[in-house]
Amino acid sequence: MLGGTVYISIIRILVSMAGTILLFSLMDEPRFGRVKTFVIYGISCLAILPLTGIWYTANRQSFIRLAPISLFTFISLISIFLSSTRIYLTLYKLAFTFYLMGFFVIGGIEISLIFFDGNVWADILARIVLVMIIAFGINKYLRDLLRGFGIYLEKELDQFSIIVLIISLFLGIIFVLSPYSEEEMKYRLLRITVNFFLVGTLQVMVFRLYLHIGRESEYRTENQMFQMNHRLLERQMEFLEESVESGRRIRHDARHHNMVIAEYARRRQIKELLEYLGQYERDTEEGTATILCENIAVNNILSAYTRKAKREQIKVLLDVEVEKECGIQDIDLVTVLSNAYENAIYGCVEARKQSPARECIINLLVKRKKNKLVIYCSNTCKMETSFKNGYPKPEFTGGIGVSSIVKTAKTYGGEPDFRNDEGVFIFRLIMNIPGK
């Protein structure tokens, strides 16, 4: 639009590509290290510069009309390859970068036309200044927020909506970057302002919408954590009440036991007394609580849920080996195991409602393998299961548990796996043991 030699054109393209790559990189998570990423970008940009010079020399009008869109398409293809995020999230970030590119490209041209009589160097300098201002704003105020928004967007946005959103953004910016006819030149500022306002408003609306949705999802997760803690407290209270009741029963039985011993002693019935004491020892051993593992917290919570499962007439198979100090915090172990066990009991109960004749079984295994803790839990369940993003929906697990398991597992570099194997729900998790 401002003219200039082929060298000026190459400098403009170089500034635009460098600015676009910088802004996109501030918002994206690269697949490779920063140095390798920028080396690939640099080699690609240097490779295409001679082609832009040839194009500008051969057909200047088509270059002016198509260069911005072609430039961004080229950068987009490289960025998709270098990005580590999902394709539709990368495309959204590219669409936002496209909007920012249009801002500093058009802004540089308009500043040159309005204040410097179309000076090409003023255009180039204005682009550089605008890129630096935008990059500073993103890095200082928006970088973390945009990345958090990207996480929300990836979790909450369905593919159809993201496609419609991306197309809308791209079409809006393409319209902004389209060259003007002679008749339109006098209205260009109004046209540019209106288009940037409309596209920017769309960005802000989407940003605020999914930021709100994402935060609401986090609030739901926190609420589920509170409910999970409430259930854990209920299990602990049950365990405490049973312990108190057991203590009362022991004291009551001890009085009768002492009376019987005293009576045998008064009658000097030594043989009968010894038989009675032997029988009492055997009865005491049978009534002793089973020790499932050395870890007291895990032992207590598993004991409480095992009693609950047996009250529901569910067969339980346990193979638990957890050390007293295994390297994973007790609260995290209890969170994962209690939620897995609670969900397994819920799954068995629901399966029995669907088919009363089915035998319900829970199989829980917890083992340490070198520096890993392996957790495996399988249970009888309904034949059909609804999944979302690889995790069972809340209605299948009773509404609580999965999000707590996932959140805790990620703390130790673990990724839980859930699947329904023809009526047997299987949960698997491997967590890293810190410092091992």
Side-chain angles (χ1 to χ4, degrees):
M1 183 179 292
L2 298 178
T5 65
V6 64
Y7 300 108
I8 295 295
S9 174
I10 291 176
I11 293 174
R12 278 182 181 155
I13 291 294
L14 185 61
V15 170
S16 298
M17 286 194 295
T20 304
I21 291 169
L22 173 63
L23 298 181
F24 178 76
S25 299
L26 289 174
M27 296 180 286
D28 191 50
E29 294 292 338
R31 179 180 300 178
F32 310 109
R34 289 288 179 186
V35 175
K36 185 176 180 180
T37 298
F38 282 110
V39 167
I40 295 174
Y41 272 127
I43 293 174
S44 302
C45 292
L46 291 176
I48 201 174
L49 284 179
L51 297 178
T52 62
I54 296 172
W55 184 9
Y56 183 83
T57 304
N59 194 330
R60 181 174 171 180
Q61 291 302 317
S62 67
F63 179 86
I64 294 173
R65 186 171 63 253
L66 300 175
I69 298 173
S70 302
L71 164 67
F72 188 76
T73 302
F74 171 73
I75 294 177
S76 297
L77 294 175
I78 301 174
S79 299
I80 291 171
F81 169 72
L82 294 176
S83 177
S84 63
T85 58
R86 294 185 181 181
I87 181 65
Y88 57 85
L89 183 57
T90 302
L91 288 175
Y92 173 79
K93 292 177 182 177
L94 285 169
F96 183 55
T97 306
F98 200 5
Y99 175 79
L100 297 177
M101 186 189 87
F103 184 81
F104 71 75
V105 169
I106 298 298
I109 293 173
E110 293 303 319
I111 289 173
S112 175
L113 289 172
I114 296 173
F115 299 104
F116 299 97
D117 197 26
N119 185 279
V120 292
W121 293 107
D123 170 35
I124 294 171
L125 183 60
R127 293 187 189 193
I128 295 174
V129 172
L130 289 174
V131 167
M132 293 298 102
I133 292 173
I134 296 171
F136 175 79
I138 291 176
N139 189 60
K140 187 172 180 63
Y141 301 106
L142 296 178
R143 189 173 187 178
D144 293 336
L145 195 60
L146 284 171
R147 289 186 176 180
F149 168 71
I151 295 173
Y152 296 150
L153 196 71
E154 189 172 11
K155 288 181 178 179
E156 304 295 339
L157 191 60
D158 60 280
Q159 294 186 4
F160 175 78
S161 298
I162 193 68
I163 290 172
V164 173
L165 173 63
I166 290 170
I167 291 175
S168 300
L169 292 174
F170 274 117
L171 289 178
I173 299 302
I174 288 172
F175 192 64
V176 169
L177 293 176
S178 299
Y180 312 108
S181 64
E182 293 296 330
E183 295 78 14
E184 295 173 320
M185 283 298 292
K186 58 183 177 181
Y187 301 111
R188 71 178 190 281
L189 285 179
L190 177 62
R191 178 184 172 186
I192 289 171
T193 302
V194 170
N195 277 280
F196 269 110
F197 174 77
L198 293 176
V199 177
T201 301
L202 177 60
Q203 288 274 6
V204 172
M205 288 177 61
V206 171
F207 184 84
R208 289 180 61 84
L209 172 64
Y210 283 95
L211 200 62
H212 172 75
I213 292 174
R215 287 174 175 171
E216 184 179 352
S217 178
E218 285 191 344
Y219 293 149
R220 287 198 301 268
T221 300
E222 292 298 325
N223 183 52
Q224 289 180 359
M225 290 291 290
F226 288 137
Q227 293 183 50
M228 183 272 296
N229 290 331
H230 177 69
R231 289 190 178 186
L232 288 179
L233 288 174
E234 286 182 339
R235 299 289 86 79
Q236 292 287 9
M237 288 298 296
E238 289 175 6
F239 186 80
L240 180 60
E241 289 173 359
E242 290 177 2
S243 298
V244 172
E245 183 61 31
S246 177
R248 290 174 180 171
R249 186 173 61 253
I250 290 172
R251 289 193 297 272
H252 181 269
D253 291 345
R255 288 195 297 270
H256 289 282
H257 174 66
N258 292 335
M259 291 173 61
V260 171
I261 292 176
E263 187 64 26
Y264 277 125
R266 278 194 297 269
R267 297 183 181 185
R268 300 183 182 279
Q269 296 174 326
I270 304 302
K271 181 179 179 182
E272 289 80 358
L273 175 59
L274 292 175
E275 289 179 355
Y276 174 78
L277 290 175
Q279 181 62 45
Y280 181 80
E281 184 178 358
R282 288 190 293 272
D283 292 342
T284 301
E285 290 178 354
E286 291 177 0
T288 303
T290 303
I291 303 299
L292 301 176
C293 65
E294 296 179 6
N295 188 289
I296 297 174
V298 173
N299 185 83
N300 289 347
I301 202 67
L302 292 183
S303 298
Y305 276 105
T306 299
R307 288 191 293 273
K308 180 179 178 180
K310 290 181 176 179
R311 286 197 297 268
E312 297 288 347
Q313 297 181 343
I314 300 171
K315 184 178 179 180
V316 178
L317 302 174
L318 295 175
D319 186 2
V320 181
E321 294 181 6
V322 181
E323 302 167 356
K324 188 174 182 180
E325 298 292 339
C326 70
I328 296 178
Q329 294 186 21
D330 288 348
I331 185 62
D332 294 328
L333 271 176
V334 168
T335 296
V336 173
L337 293 175
S338 62
N339 278 295
Y341 214 152
E342 179 93 28
N343 293 342
I345 294 173
Y346 181 85
C348 289
V349 172
E350 292 299 304
R352 184 171 288 151
K353 290 179 182 179
Q354 189 180 59
S355 180
R358 288 185 69 184
E359 181 185 16
C360 293
I361 301 174
I362 295 175
N363 184 9
L364 177 62
L365 177 144
V366 185
K367 295 275 188 178
R368 175 181 168 182
K369 302 291 184 180
K370 296 183 179 179
N371 65 331
K372 308 285 185 182
L373 186 70
V374 180
I375 300 175
Y376 172 92
C377 182
S378 66
N379 62 274
T380 308
C381 68
K382 293 180 178 180
M383 299 302 293
E384 68 284 348
T385 308
S386 298
F387 287 87
K388 181 180 179 180
N389 298 327
Y391 303 139
K393 290 185 176 180
E395 56 267 24
F396 186 81
T397 59
I400 303 176
V402 173
S403 59
S404 300
I405 291 173
V406 173
K407 188 173 182 179
T408 304
K410 288 183 177 180
T411 304
Y412 297 92
E415 183 64 34
D417 174 60
F418 305 90
R419 64 186 176 91
N420 188 340
D421 189 6
E422 297 181 352
V424 177
F425 188 79
I426 297 175
F427 158 63
R428 295 178 294 186
L429 173 63
I430 298 178
M431 294 193 295
N432 297 319
I433 298 177
K436 299 291 183 181

